[in-house]
Amino acid sequence: MAPAKITGAIVAAATMVMLSYVAFFRFSDKLDASSSEKKKKNEKKKEKLSKRNGLVDAIGNTPLIRINSLSEATGCEILGKCEFLNPGGSVKDRVAVKIIEEALESGKLFPGGIVTEGSAGSTAISLATVAPAYGCKCHVVIPDDAAIEKSQIIEALGATVERVRPVSITHKDHFVNIARRRADEANDLASSKRRLASGIQEKTNGCIAEEESEPSLFSESVTGGFFADQFENLANYRAHYEGTGPEIWQQTNGNIDAFVAAAGTGGTLAGVSRFLQEKNEKVKCFLVDPPGSGLYNKVTRGVMYTREEAEGRRLKNPFDTITEGIGINRLTKNFLMAKLDGGFRGTDKEAVEMSRFLLKKDGLFVGSSSSMNCVGAVRVAQTLGPGHTIVTILCDSGMRHLSKFHDPQYLALYGLTPTAIGLEFLGIK
């Protein structure tokens, strides 16, 4: 009997050992799997924290955040792309890089050259920020009714600034037209310098003609000029079609129902809308337009003018809005690339109220175009109903709008002092 008991004990012990081994290896497998997952997460974290190659490489890949207050008020997921976190402080950094890189690649611009632009502020700041990284300089023509801090920032960045009175785009002295002329002047200066260096001089009636030298805004070392032409240069559209749009798609994992933004040049709206609708034609894309702009009428009615304008009462300067950088009364090449499903009209009061609401509820201190975009996001949410994911652009911060959009005295002059407690200004109680 004793051997049988010993044998049984041995079998039981062996069984326990086998079960222990199985349990140990299963536990080891789980540890390995867990370790592998942690390793992948750490690699992703390292990738995010990895060094970027200079200022230019730091542009783009901005966070997409949930705007909690608007999401909770509408029952939709309203997401804002934080473009104010770019090195130059706005969405226009992307455009500046693309314009300069394409100009250098095409041979229209050389290191030592000067990039000129007519801008109400943000694009100018971005060009002034980015140009030195490519060995170039920047000259900006800006309307004198733009917030003064914008031109101060541009000058602090080392660019030259020309402030001019605002006139119609058809006028030869519109700030964009002046910027175009300045590029031509820089090219003429560079050509003249090259001719003198090569010993080539023009002859008139058999005599060598001395070139008349008019005072120039640019130094003798300039290698030429390039007019950035943000309104008509499709590098603007491509910056968003190749960058902003794909980032939004990736950050939402393709779970996006609508995109909305205002338009100035139209590049952001065009590039993002076209990319998203090519990925999924069910994604709805909308314009939100400030007072005085004709784009809303074009998108919703097929004409660029209002009934009053058609009757000959169009103002000399039709932009009756305190928002900056958005709204226009012509169709740019960039805007024509947009794929839109509709549009909304926003008001200055709504934009002002929205900016204060976002600051109070979310700690977001944004500028006028960002505020208008958020007005548009709420309008889209009200149109589509709860349960949808809506993305918009937070173009720049309120830091560039202290003398106008965020100045109580300035707002009081136009009857725009914010009074709302919540979102009642958009019909939400």
Side-chain angles (χ1 to χ4, degrees):
M1 294 298 291
K5 284 181 180 177
I6 292 170
T7 304
I10 291 170
V11 170
T15 303
M16 288 295 292
V17 169
M18 288 297 293
L19 289 171
S20 297
Y21 270 111
V22 170
F24 172 77
F25 283 117
R26 282 181 178 172
F27 180 67
S28 295
D29 287 343
K30 285 181 180 178
L31 279 176
D32 288 342
S34 175
S35 177
S36 177
E37 284 177 14
K38 282 181 180 177
K39 193 175 179 182
K40 285 180 182 176
K41 284 181 181 178
N42 286 334
E43 284 174 0
K44 285 183 179 179
K45 197 172 183 180
K46 282 180 183 177
E47 192 178 331
K48 285 182 179 178
L49 296 172
S50 64
K51 292 184 292 184
R52 297 192 185 185
N53 186 21
L55 176 134
V56 171
D57 203 31
I59 293 170
N61 293 308
T62 52
L64 183 69
I65 65 168
R66 181 179 190 264
I67 303 177
N68 293 327
S69 63
L70 301 184
S71 299
E72 289 159 12
T74 61
C76 288
E77 287 294 293
I78 295 183
L79 311 177
K81 189 123 172 77
C82 297
E83 291 298 295
F84 58 83
L85 293 177
N86 278 308
S90 84
V91 66
K92 296 296 186 178
D93 280 13
R94 299 174 184 267
V95 179
V97 166
K98 193 68 173 172
I99 285 175
I100 292 176
E101 286 187 348
E102 288 192 7
L104 289 167
E105 287 167 10
S106 68
K108 294 176 181 176
L109 176 67
F110 299 94
I114 189 154
V115 181
T116 72
E117 183 57 297
S119 167
S122 288
T123 302
I125 291 170
S126 293
L127 286 168
T129 301
V130 168
Y134 294 95
C136 298
K137 296 181 179 179
C138 185
H139 178 81
V140 175
V141 186
I142 189 169
D144 62 14
D145 61 348
I148 188 65
E149 55 267 34
K150 291 186 178 181
S151 59
Q152 291 171 335
I153 292 168
I154 297 163
E155 288 178 329
L157 289 167
T160 50
V161 178
E162 212 177 328
R163 289 176 69 89
V164 299
R165 64 189 180 92
V167 292
S168 168
I169 186 64
T170 57
H171 195 287
K172 68 180 181 66
D173 289 332
H174 184 274
F175 62 95
V176 171
N177 297 331
I178 293 175
R180 184 183 287 106
R181 289 204 301 275
R182 297 296 180 244
D184 291 339
E185 289 168 14
N187 282 324
D188 289 343
L189 179 63
S191 296
S192 175
K193 188 179 69 175
R194 284 192 294 270
R195 284 197 301 273
L196 288 171
S198 62
I200 299 172
Q201 292 175 301
E202 292 182 4
K203 289 187 176 183
T204 305
N205 297 325
C207 300
I208 294 174
E210 291 186 10
E211 293 190 23
E212 292 183 10
S213 57
E214 293 183 5
S216 175
L217 290 169
F218 312 118
S219 71
E220 293 292 326
S221 62
V222 71
T223 61
F226 176 75
F227 175 48
D229 198 12
Q230 61 166 328
F231 287 90
E232 306 301 332
N233 189 338
L234 288 177
N236 183 344
Y237 153 78
R238 286 189 286 273
H240 299 291
Y241 180 81
E242 296 171 10
T244 320
E247 287 173 29
I248 289 171
W249 182 258
Q250 185 180 27
Q251 289 169 320
T252 59
N253 294 314
N255 298 317
I256 174 173
D257 298 297
F259 174 75
V260 60
T265 65
T268 306
L269 188 61
V272 174
S273 66
R274 185 164 285 269
F275 178 85
L276 292 177
Q277 292 204 351
E278 284 179 7
K279 295 298 287 187
N280 181 359
E281 60 183 13
K282 292 182 180 178
V283 177
K284 302 293 183 186
C285 296
F286 299 93
L287 163 80
V288 59
D289 211 27
S293 174
L295 296 179
Y296 170 78
N297 294 315
K298 181 63 179 176
V299 170
T300 59
R301 302 172 191 166
V303 293
M304 279 294 291
Y305 50 80
T306 64
R307 181 169 56 84
E308 289 79 11
E309 289 167 347
E311 292 170 356
R313 294 201 294 271
R314 187 170 182 172
L315 298 174
K316 184 177 180 181
N317 181 23
F319 296 100
D320 186 21
T321 178
I322 64 162
T323 61
E324 294 185 8
I326 54 175
I328 194 170
N329 270 318
R330 70 182 193 276
L331 294 177
T332 66
K333 287 181 182 177
N334 284 291
F335 185 82
L336 288 170
M337 298 298 292
K339 298 185 73 173
L340 301 176
D341 296 282
F344 300 91
R345 174 73 81 193
T347 68
D348 281 350
K349 189 66 186 293
E350 289 169 348
V352 169
E353 294 285 12
M354 177 60 77
S355 70
R356 276 55 176 184
F357 179 84
L358 292 173
L359 181 59
K360 183 168 62 177
K361 298 292 185 180
D362 301 273
L364 286 169
F365 183 48
V366 296
S368 57
S369 55
S370 302
S371 301
M372 188 65 78
N373 284 349
C374 289
V375 168
V378 171
R379 291 299 187 202
V380 173
Q382 291 171 323
T383 301
L384 299 183
H388 294 88
T389 297
I390 299 157
V391 175
T392 193
I393 303 290
L394 302 179
C395 315
D396 66 1
S397 81
M399 297 294 185
R400 294 178 181 175
H401 302 263
L402 298 177
S403 64
K404 292 178 71 177
F405 190 71
H406 283 288
D407 179 39
Q409 291 181 331
Y410 180 87
L411 294 177
L413 289 174
Y414 295 92
L416 295 173
T417 300
T419 56
I421 297 170
L423 289 171
E424 63 268 24
F425 59 95
L426 291 176
I428 298 175
K429 294 180 180 179

